[in-house]
Amino acid sequence: MKKIIVFLLLALFTAPVFAQKYASVNAKRANIRKCAGTNCDVKFYAWHYTPVIMLQTNEDKDWVLVKDFEGYQGWISASLLSPAGGMSAKVDLNVRKSPSADSDIVCTVEKGYPFKYISRKGKWIQVKDEPVKASDGICKGWIYNANLWGFFKQ
């Protein structure tokens, strides 16, 4: 009986309190604020498809404290988040035409650049962006998964 109680206590105290919940920004550009409310100063901006970890909500559940892949935190209106998959470039990188390091480069992006998840093939992720200016053109292609941070729905 003592072994069962010890096991249950260990399981209780070593298990995570809650699983991390991910979301992505669902606006062309979203303000990430110092506190929960439109009267709070803007800390930084996040772009469409930027993935974030949801840490907590305010009492009314209309604002969410989020963290990005670099650990930056701030508050965003819950209405600007989506369960759709999003990815951020962990480093400056090349987006390839096909899932191979030898494939032609479609475009080059900077660290932090956000993408929509499209599909997966082995260790490669197919992504697509949504540039702020349509004249910049769409970047769609393949990135080695180790160079991305984010999530996708399976």
Side-chain angles (χ1 to χ4, degrees):
M1 184 68 172
K2 281 185 178 180
K3 287 182 182 180
I4 293 173
I5 292 172
V6 169
F7 175 76
L8 289 174
L9 287 173
L10 281 173
L12 178 66
F13 290 110
T14 59
V17 176
F18 62 95
Q20 289 185 335
K21 294 187 179 186
Y22 294 86
S24 64
V25 173
N26 193 24
K28 289 262 188 202
R29 184 179 92 166
N31 297 328
I32 309 297
R33 299 180 178 275
K34 291 183 179 180
C35 59
T38 56
N39 293 331
C40 301
D41 290 340
V42 174
K43 286 178 79 172
F44 60 95
Y45 302 103
W47 309 100
H48 200 199
Y49 302 122
T50 299
V52 294
I53 297 173
M54 298 184 292
L55 302 173
Q56 72 182 65
T57 61
N58 67 338
E59 190 174 300
D60 296 332
K61 301 203 184 305
D62 53 353
W63 287 87
V64 181
L65 178 63
V66 296
K67 179 171 72 171
D68 72 4
F69 79 100
E70 292 185 293
Y72 294 112
Q73 294 184 23
W75 292 88
I76 184 172
S77 172
S79 65
L80 299 178
L81 294 175
S82 166
M87 301 277 170
S88 284
K90 291 186 344 187
V91 295
D92 295 351
L93 55 79
N94 296 320
V95 180
R96 305 279 178 175
K97 186 174 184 176
S98 61
S100 166
D102 297 327
S103 179
D104 291 339
I105 297 170
V106 175
C107 53
T108 301
V109 300
E110 295 178 354
K111 178 180 178 180
Y113 196 86
F115 290 100
K116 176 182 180 182
Y117 169 84
I118 304 290
S119 67
R120 178 181 205 124
K121 187 173 187 180
K123 294 189 177 205
W124 289 82
I125 306 290
Q126 186 180 32
V127 295
K128 175 183 170 185
D129 74 349
E130 187 171 304
V132 174
K133 295 185 295 183
S135 61
D136 288 343
I138 292 174
C139 177
K140 181 179 178 183
W142 295 86
I143 301 172
Y144 191 72
N145 71 351
N147 295 322
L148 292 169
W149 183 87
F151 73 103
F152 55 91
K153 292 192 139 202
Q154 292 192 356

